Amino acid sequence: MSVASNSSVSGNDPSQLLRDERFLMGLRRDMLRFAELQLRDPAAAEDMTQEALAAAVSGQARFSGRAALKTWVFAILKNKIADHLRQRRRIVDAASLAREAADEADFDEHLFDRKGFWRPDEHPDDWGNPESTFAQHQFWAVFEICLTQLPDNTARVFMMREFLGFDTAEICRELGIATSNCHVILHRARMGLRLCLDQRWFGSEG
Amino acid sequence: MLNCKQVTHLLSEMQERELQWRERLPLKLHLLMCAGCNNFRKQLDFLHRACREYAQGRSDSTPP
């Protein structure tokens, strides 16, 4: 953050904060990526980012700085994405979702021995203090890579749950699948994400 | 007696639903003895927190 760009932070009016072009561009980029991850539709992601930014500029709320403003703009964006997903029928393709879920057995086979205990080289490590990891700029790039590596439909269900805060019952209902299947899909997403971060982030550190 | 595979599924399901008492006790016993599953539990917590932070715009693409 440069000293020059700090000068515009003096006012807590969002329209004033958003006048800092460098901040605005970074914010837009982060919002677009966040929306695209979930929508897999660049045009819709662009529309929603634009609408959320417009809402932020015209909003009456005041903020104690950029981080607070960003959190608020992301909250608006999340609402827009959630509404969009609710309106659109057939959020995910049930057939390919079932195929993706079927691979889960292989996952377990890779991690556990015949009796269902951790294989020695798959024994989970201590990832340390989350806060110090979250403070690292590079971590979030790896986190995004790992999200994009999840199978499409699995990722979508996971993000509805973890990013947008849909409850599991609603997701299952929307998808028209059994609750137990829903749980398997979410479990699979966590296992995939966990393995990816372990290899790409924590592995490279140790 | 639960094995680690069952424990990982239960721990993940804990984020979707409340476990029943007859699931909770064996889970607790297993976690008392198994360092691997304990780390796994913390990793799931890490993922959940990371998602929350990310969805609040924590990631910062602006180069320092």
PDB file of all heavy atoms in Angstrom, chain A residues 22-47:
ATOM      1  N   ARG A  22      -6.759   2.403  -7.672  1.00  0.00           N
ATOM      2  CA  ARG A  22      -5.985   1.184  -7.484  1.00  0.00           C
ATOM      3  C   ARG A  22      -6.740   0.222  -6.559  1.00  0.00           C
ATOM      4  O   ARG A  22      -6.820  -0.982  -6.815  1.00  0.00           O
ATOM      5  CB  ARG A  22      -4.626   1.546  -6.895  1.00  0.00           C
ATOM      6  CG  ARG A  22      -3.686   0.374  -6.832  1.00  0.00           C
ATOM      7  CD  ARG A  22      -2.252   0.801  -7.054  1.00  0.00           C
ATOM      8  NE  ARG A  22      -1.382  -0.288  -6.647  1.00  0.00           N
ATOM      9  CZ  ARG A  22      -0.769  -0.313  -5.480  1.00  0.00           C
ATOM     10  NH1 ARG A  22      -0.881   0.689  -4.640  1.00  0.00           N
ATOM     11  NH2 ARG A  22      -0.004  -1.343  -5.149  1.00  0.00           N
ATOM     12  N   PHE A  23      -7.309   0.778  -5.502  1.00  0.00           N
ATOM     13  CA  PHE A  23      -8.109  -0.025  -4.567  1.00  0.00           C
ATOM     14  C   PHE A  23      -9.332  -0.598  -5.282  1.00  0.00           C
ATOM     15  O   PHE A  23      -9.648  -1.782  -5.172  1.00  0.00           O
ATOM     16  CB  PHE A  23      -8.536   0.841  -3.373  1.00  0.00           C
ATOM     17  CG  PHE A  23      -9.559   0.178  -2.486  1.00  0.00           C
ATOM     18  CD1 PHE A  23      -9.237  -0.960  -1.758  1.00  0.00           C
ATOM     19  CD2 PHE A  23     -10.843   0.698  -2.377  1.00  0.00           C
ATOM     20  CE1 PHE A  23     -10.179  -1.580  -0.939  1.00  0.00           C
ATOM     21  CE2 PHE A  23     -11.792   0.084  -1.569  1.00  0.00           C
ATOM     22  CZ  PHE A  23     -11.461  -1.051  -0.851  1.00  0.00           C
ATOM     23  N   LEU A  24      -9.987   0.254  -6.037  1.00  0.00           N
ATOM     24  CA  LEU A  24     -11.204  -0.162  -6.739  1.00  0.00           C
ATOM     25  C   LEU A  24     -10.915  -1.287  -7.734  1.00  0.00           C
ATOM     26  O   LEU A  24     -11.651  -2.267  -7.812  1.00  0.00           O
ATOM     27  CB  LEU A  24     -11.811   1.042  -7.472  1.00  0.00           C
ATOM     28  CG  LEU A  24     -13.090   0.757  -8.268  1.00  0.00           C
ATOM     29  CD1 LEU A  24     -14.202   0.268  -7.363  1.00  0.00           C
ATOM     30  CD2 LEU A  24     -13.541   2.005  -9.022  1.00  0.00           C
ATOM     31  N   MET A  25      -9.808  -1.164  -8.456  1.00  0.00           N
ATOM     32  CA  MET A  25      -9.471  -2.194  -9.434  1.00  0.00           C
ATOM     33  C   MET A  25      -9.170  -3.535  -8.779  1.00  0.00           C
ATOM     34  O   MET A  25      -9.587  -4.585  -9.253  1.00  0.00           O
ATOM     35  CB  MET A  25      -8.284  -1.745 -10.286  1.00  0.00           C
ATOM     36  CG  MET A  25      -8.734  -0.902 -11.470  1.00  0.00           C
ATOM     37  SD  MET A  25      -7.351  -0.139 -12.336  1.00  0.00           S
ATOM     38  CE  MET A  25      -6.356  -1.574 -12.734  1.00  0.00           C
ATOM     39  N   GLY A  26      -8.439  -3.467  -7.660  1.00  0.00           N
ATOM     40  CA  GLY A  26      -8.133  -4.692  -6.922  1.00  0.00           C
ATOM     41  C   GLY A  26      -9.404  -5.334  -6.386  1.00  0.00           C
ATOM     42  O   GLY A  26      -9.595  -6.554  -6.479  1.00  0.00           O
ATOM     43  N   LEU A  27     -10.258  -4.497  -5.851  1.00  0.00           N
ATOM     44  CA  LEU A  27     -11.525  -4.969  -5.294  1.00  0.00           C
ATOM     45  C   LEU A  27     -12.382  -5.640  -6.369  1.00  0.00           C
ATOM     46  O   LEU A  27     -12.899  -6.739  -6.191  1.00  0.00           O
ATOM     47  CB  LEU A  27     -12.280  -3.776  -4.674  1.00  0.00           C
ATOM     48  CG  LEU A  27     -13.667  -4.043  -4.094  1.00  0.00           C
ATOM     49  CD1 LEU A  27     -13.582  -5.023  -2.929  1.00  0.00           C
ATOM     50  CD2 LEU A  27     -14.314  -2.744  -3.632  1.00  0.00           C
ATOM     51  N   ARG A  28     -12.480  -4.963  -7.500  1.00  0.00           N
ATOM     52  CA  ARG A  28     -13.249  -5.502  -8.621  1.00  0.00           C
ATOM     53  C   ARG A  28     -12.712  -6.870  -9.065  1.00  0.00           C
ATOM     54  O   ARG A  28     -13.467  -7.790  -9.335  1.00  0.00           O
ATOM     55  CB  ARG A  28     -13.148  -4.534  -9.812  1.00  0.00           C
ATOM     56  CG  ARG A  28     -14.445  -3.888 -10.225  1.00  0.00           C
ATOM     57  CD  ARG A  28     -14.221  -3.062 -11.470  1.00  0.00           C
ATOM     58  NE  ARG A  28     -14.019  -3.938 -12.623  1.00  0.00           N
ATOM     59  CZ  ARG A  28     -15.016  -4.439 -13.342  1.00  0.00           C
ATOM     60  NH1 ARG A  28     -16.253  -4.143 -13.057  1.00  0.00           N
ATOM     61  NH2 ARG A  28     -14.776  -5.243 -14.355  1.00  0.00           N
ATOM     62  N   ARG A  29     -11.398  -6.942  -9.132  1.00  0.00           N
ATOM     63  CA  ARG A  29     -10.759  -8.186  -9.577  1.00  0.00           C
ATOM     64  C   ARG A  29     -11.077  -9.330  -8.602  1.00  0.00           C
ATOM     65  O   ARG A  29     -11.429 -10.425  -9.003  1.00  0.00           O
ATOM     66  CB  ARG A  29      -9.246  -7.956  -9.661  1.00  0.00           C
ATOM     67  CG  ARG A  29      -8.503  -8.952 -10.512  1.00  0.00           C
ATOM     68  CD  ARG A  29      -7.134  -8.405 -10.895  1.00  0.00           C
ATOM     69  NE  ARG A  29      -6.407  -7.901  -9.747  1.00  0.00           N
ATOM     70  CZ  ARG A  29      -5.786  -6.730  -9.706  1.00  0.00           C
ATOM     71  NH1 ARG A  29      -5.785  -5.947 -10.763  1.00  0.00           N
ATOM     72  NH2 ARG A  29      -5.141  -6.347  -8.630  1.00  0.00           N
ATOM     73  N   ASP A  30     -10.977  -9.037  -7.306  1.00  0.00           N
ATOM     74  CA  ASP A  30     -11.271 -10.061  -6.298  1.00  0.00           C
ATOM     75  C   ASP A  30     -12.737 -10.487  -6.348  1.00  0.00           C
ATOM     76  O   ASP A  30     -13.065 -11.662  -6.221  1.00  0.00           O
ATOM     77  CB  ASP A  30     -10.949  -9.535  -4.894  1.00  0.00           C
ATOM     78  CG  ASP A  30      -9.440  -9.419  -4.660  1.00  0.00           C
ATOM     79  OD1 ASP A  30      -8.679 -10.004  -5.456  1.00  0.00           O
ATOM     80  OD2 ASP A  30      -9.036  -8.746  -3.698  1.00  0.00           O
ATOM     81  N   MET A  31     -13.612  -9.510  -6.551  1.00  0.00           N
ATOM     82  CA  MET A  31     -15.045  -9.817  -6.614  1.00  0.00           C
ATOM     83  C   MET A  31     -15.372 -10.663  -7.837  1.00  0.00           C
ATOM     84  O   MET A  31     -16.123 -11.630  -7.751  1.00  0.00           O
ATOM     85  CB  MET A  31     -15.862  -8.512  -6.664  1.00  0.00           C
ATOM     86  CG  MET A  31     -15.832  -7.718  -5.379  1.00  0.00           C
ATOM     87  SD  MET A  31     -16.534  -6.061  -5.596  1.00  0.00           S
ATOM     88  CE  MET A  31     -18.290  -6.450  -5.700  1.00  0.00           C
ATOM     89  N   LEU A  32     -14.779 -10.286  -8.970  1.00  0.00           N
ATOM     90  CA  LEU A  32     -15.018 -11.031 -10.205  1.00  0.00           C
ATOM     91  C   LEU A  32     -14.586 -12.485 -10.062  1.00  0.00           C
ATOM     92  O   LEU A  32     -15.305 -13.405 -10.439  1.00  0.00           O
ATOM     93  CB  LEU A  32     -14.233 -10.397 -11.354  1.00  0.00           C
ATOM     94  CG  LEU A  32     -14.995  -9.485 -12.289  1.00  0.00           C
ATOM     95  CD1 LEU A  32     -14.055  -8.924 -13.344  1.00  0.00           C
ATOM     96  CD2 LEU A  32     -16.141 -10.253 -12.966  1.00  0.00           C
ATOM     97  N   ARG A  33     -13.405 -12.671  -9.506  1.00  0.00           N
ATOM     98  CA  ARG A  33     -12.896 -14.037  -9.341  1.00  0.00           C
ATOM     99  C   ARG A  33     -13.809 -14.844  -8.428  1.00  0.00           C
ATOM    100  O   ARG A  33     -14.122 -16.000  -8.691  1.00  0.00           O
ATOM    101  CB  ARG A  33     -11.484 -14.023  -8.763  1.00  0.00           C
ATOM    102  CG  ARG A  33     -10.408 -14.152  -9.803  1.00  0.00           C
ATOM    103  CD  ARG A  33      -9.148 -14.789  -9.234  1.00  0.00           C
ATOM    104  NE  ARG A  33      -8.856 -14.334  -7.887  1.00  0.00           N
ATOM    105  CZ  ARG A  33      -8.160 -13.243  -7.611  1.00  0.00           C
ATOM    106  NH1 ARG A  33      -7.662 -12.517  -8.578  1.00  0.00           N
ATOM    107  NH2 ARG A  33      -7.930 -12.922  -6.358  1.00  0.00           N
ATOM    108  N   PHE A  34     -14.223 -14.205  -7.348  1.00  0.00           N
ATOM    109  CA  PHE A  34     -15.110 -14.856  -6.380  1.00  0.00           C
ATOM    110  C   PHE A  34     -16.432 -15.264  -7.051  1.00  0.00           C
ATOM    111  O   PHE A  34     -16.917 -16.382  -6.863  1.00  0.00           O
ATOM    112  CB  PHE A  34     -15.371 -13.895  -5.211  1.00  0.00           C
ATOM    113  CG  PHE A  34     -16.237 -14.453  -4.133  1.00  0.00           C
ATOM    114  CD1 PHE A  34     -15.731 -15.389  -3.237  1.00  0.00           C
ATOM    115  CD2 PHE A  34     -17.552 -14.040  -3.991  1.00  0.00           C
ATOM    116  CE1 PHE A  34     -16.532 -15.904  -2.223  1.00  0.00           C
ATOM    117  CE2 PHE A  34     -18.360 -14.551  -2.981  1.00  0.00           C
ATOM    118  CZ  PHE A  34     -17.847 -15.483  -2.098  1.00  0.00           C
ATOM    119  N   ALA A  35     -16.990 -14.367  -7.832  1.00  0.00           N
ATOM    120  CA  ALA A  35     -18.268 -14.647  -8.503  1.00  0.00           C
ATOM    121  C   ALA A  35     -18.102 -15.705  -9.585  1.00  0.00           C
ATOM    122  O   ALA A  35     -18.923 -16.609  -9.731  1.00  0.00           O
ATOM    123  CB  ALA A  35     -18.850 -13.362  -9.083  1.00  0.00           C
ATOM    124  N   GLU A  36     -17.016 -15.617 -10.332  1.00  0.00           N
ATOM    125  CA  GLU A  36     -16.797 -16.571 -11.429  1.00  0.00           C
ATOM    126  C   GLU A  36     -16.591 -17.994 -10.934  1.00  0.00           C
ATOM    127  O   GLU A  36     -17.056 -18.949 -11.543  1.00  0.00           O
ATOM    128  CB  GLU A  36     -15.595 -16.140 -12.273  1.00  0.00           C
ATOM    129  CG  GLU A  36     -15.969 -15.163 -13.367  1.00  0.00           C
ATOM    130  CD  GLU A  36     -14.797 -14.847 -14.281  1.00  0.00           C
ATOM    131  OE1 GLU A  36     -13.916 -15.713 -14.438  1.00  0.00           O
ATOM    132  OE2 GLU A  36     -14.766 -13.731 -14.807  1.00  0.00           O
ATOM    133  N   LEU A  37     -15.892 -18.106  -9.803  1.00  0.00           N
ATOM    134  CA  LEU A  37     -15.678 -19.419  -9.204  1.00  0.00           C
ATOM    135  C   LEU A  37     -17.004 -20.136  -8.990  1.00  0.00           C
ATOM    136  O   LEU A  37     -17.123 -21.339  -9.178  1.00  0.00           O
ATOM    137  CB  LEU A  37     -15.002 -19.250  -7.842  1.00  0.00           C
ATOM    138  CG  LEU A  37     -13.504 -19.482  -7.718  1.00  0.00           C
ATOM    139  CD1 LEU A  37     -13.058 -19.130  -6.314  1.00  0.00           C
ATOM    140  CD2 LEU A  37     -13.133 -20.911  -8.040  1.00  0.00           C
ATOM    141  N   GLN A  38     -17.998 -19.363  -8.564  1.00  0.00           N
ATOM    142  CA  GLN A  38     -19.269 -19.978  -8.195  1.00  0.00           C
ATOM    143  C   GLN A  38     -20.255 -20.069  -9.328  1.00  0.00           C
ATOM    144  O   GLN A  38     -21.087 -20.969  -9.376  1.00  0.00           O
ATOM    145  CB  GLN A  38     -19.895 -19.187  -7.052  1.00  0.00           C
ATOM    146  CG  GLN A  38     -19.078 -19.327  -5.801  1.00  0.00           C
ATOM    147  CD  GLN A  38     -19.489 -18.327  -4.753  1.00  0.00           C
ATOM    148  OE1 GLN A  38     -20.409 -18.567  -4.007  1.00  0.00           O
ATOM    149  NE2 GLN A  38     -18.809 -17.201  -4.721  1.00  0.00           N
ATOM    150  N   LEU A  39     -20.180 -19.122 -10.266  1.00  0.00           N
ATOM    151  CA  LEU A  39     -21.179 -19.087 -11.328  1.00  0.00           C
ATOM    152  C   LEU A  39     -20.701 -19.786 -12.586  1.00  0.00           C
ATOM    153  O   LEU A  39     -21.496 -20.262 -13.381  1.00  0.00           O
ATOM    154  CB  LEU A  39     -21.534 -17.632 -11.653  1.00  0.00           C
ATOM    155  CG  LEU A  39     -22.169 -16.862 -10.492  1.00  0.00           C
ATOM    156  CD1 LEU A  39     -22.144 -15.360 -10.760  1.00  0.00           C
ATOM    157  CD2 LEU A  39     -23.593 -17.333 -10.273  1.00  0.00           C
ATOM    158  N   ARG A  40     -19.395 -19.842 -12.775  1.00  0.00           N
ATOM    159  CA  ARG A  40     -18.804 -20.376 -14.016  1.00  0.00           C
ATOM    160  C   ARG A  40     -19.469 -19.736 -15.227  1.00  0.00           C
ATOM    161  O   ARG A  40     -19.821 -20.403 -16.190  1.00  0.00           O
ATOM    162  CB  ARG A  40     -18.926 -21.901 -14.084  1.00  0.00           C
ATOM    163  CG  ARG A  40     -18.527 -22.617 -12.798  1.00  0.00           C
ATOM    164  CD  ARG A  40     -17.117 -23.111 -12.813  1.00  0.00           C
ATOM    165  NE  ARG A  40     -16.658 -23.347 -11.456  1.00  0.00           N
ATOM    166  CZ  ARG A  40     -15.990 -24.408 -11.041  1.00  0.00           C
ATOM    167  NH1 ARG A  40     -15.673 -25.339 -11.890  1.00  0.00           N
ATOM    168  NH2 ARG A  40     -15.587 -24.514  -9.814  1.00  0.00           N
ATOM    169  N   ASP A  41     -19.750 -18.453 -15.093  1.00  0.00           N
ATOM    170  CA  ASP A  41     -20.435 -17.713 -16.146  1.00  0.00           C
ATOM    171  C   ASP A  41     -19.902 -16.280 -16.087  1.00  0.00           C
ATOM    172  O   ASP A  41     -20.373 -15.468 -15.294  1.00  0.00           O
ATOM    173  CB  ASP A  41     -21.949 -17.773 -15.887  1.00  0.00           C
ATOM    174  CG  ASP A  41     -22.754 -16.947 -16.895  1.00  0.00           C
ATOM    175  OD1 ASP A  41     -22.154 -16.192 -17.693  1.00  0.00           O
ATOM    176  OD2 ASP A  41     -23.988 -17.058 -16.861  1.00  0.00           O
ATOM    177  N   PRO A  42     -18.881 -15.974 -16.914  1.00  0.00           N
ATOM    178  CA  PRO A  42     -18.198 -14.676 -16.825  1.00  0.00           C
ATOM    179  C   PRO A  42     -19.138 -13.486 -16.972  1.00  0.00           C
ATOM    180  O   PRO A  42     -18.990 -12.491 -16.257  1.00  0.00           O
ATOM    181  CB  PRO A  42     -17.200 -14.717 -17.988  1.00  0.00           C
ATOM    182  CG  PRO A  42     -16.998 -16.162 -18.279  1.00  0.00           C
ATOM    183  CD  PRO A  42     -18.287 -16.844 -17.945  1.00  0.00           C
ATOM    184  N   ALA A  43     -20.129 -13.588 -17.865  1.00  0.00           N
ATOM    185  CA  ALA A  43     -21.024 -12.454 -18.088  1.00  0.00           C
ATOM    186  C   ALA A  43     -21.866 -12.179 -16.840  1.00  0.00           C
ATOM    187  O   ALA A  43     -22.002 -11.030 -16.404  1.00  0.00           O
ATOM    188  CB  ALA A  43     -21.927 -12.728 -19.282  1.00  0.00           C
ATOM    189  N   ALA A  44     -22.411 -13.240 -16.249  1.00  0.00           N
ATOM    190  CA  ALA A  44     -23.226 -13.075 -15.048  1.00  0.00           C
ATOM    191  C   ALA A  44     -22.360 -12.561 -13.887  1.00  0.00           C
ATOM    192  O   ALA A  44     -22.802 -11.719 -13.102  1.00  0.00           O
ATOM    193  CB  ALA A  44     -23.887 -14.401 -14.672  1.00  0.00           C
ATOM    194  N   ALA A  45     -21.140 -13.057 -13.815  1.00  0.00           N
ATOM    195  CA  ALA A  45     -20.227 -12.626 -12.750  1.00  0.00           C
ATOM    196  C   ALA A  45     -19.933 -11.131 -12.877  1.00  0.00           C
ATOM    197  O   ALA A  45     -19.919 -10.395 -11.880  1.00  0.00           O
ATOM    198  CB  ALA A  45     -18.932 -13.435 -12.799  1.00  0.00           C
ATOM    199  N   GLU A  46     -19.737 -10.703 -14.108  1.00  0.00           N
ATOM    200  CA  GLU A  46     -19.469  -9.287 -14.384  1.00  0.00           C
ATOM    201  C   GLU A  46     -20.662  -8.423 -13.980  1.00  0.00           C
ATOM    202  O   GLU A  46     -20.509  -7.405 -13.293  1.00  0.00           O
ATOM    203  CB  GLU A  46     -19.165  -9.121 -15.879  1.00  0.00           C
ATOM    204  CG  GLU A  46     -18.926  -7.718 -16.349  1.00  0.00           C
ATOM    205  CD  GLU A  46     -17.515  -7.222 -16.013  1.00  0.00           C
ATOM    206  OE1 GLU A  46     -16.556  -7.987 -16.228  1.00  0.00           O
ATOM    207  OE2 GLU A  46     -17.397  -6.084 -15.518  1.00  0.00           O
ATOM    208  N   ASP A  47     -21.853  -8.853 -14.355  1.00  0.00           N
ATOM    209  CA  ASP A  47     -23.079  -8.114 -14.010  1.00  0.00           C
ATOM    210  C   ASP A  47     -23.219  -7.954 -12.501  1.00  0.00           C
ATOM    211  O   ASP A  47     -23.504  -6.869 -11.993  1.00  0.00           O
ATOM    212  CB  ASP A  47     -24.327  -8.868 -14.518  1.00  0.00           C
ATOM    213  CG  ASP A  47     -24.497  -8.702 -16.019  1.00  0.00           C
ATOM    214  OD1 ASP A  47     -23.748  -7.891 -16.603  1.00  0.00           O
ATOM    215  OD2 ASP A  47     -25.357  -9.398 -16.592  1.00  0.00           O
TER     216      ASP A  47
END
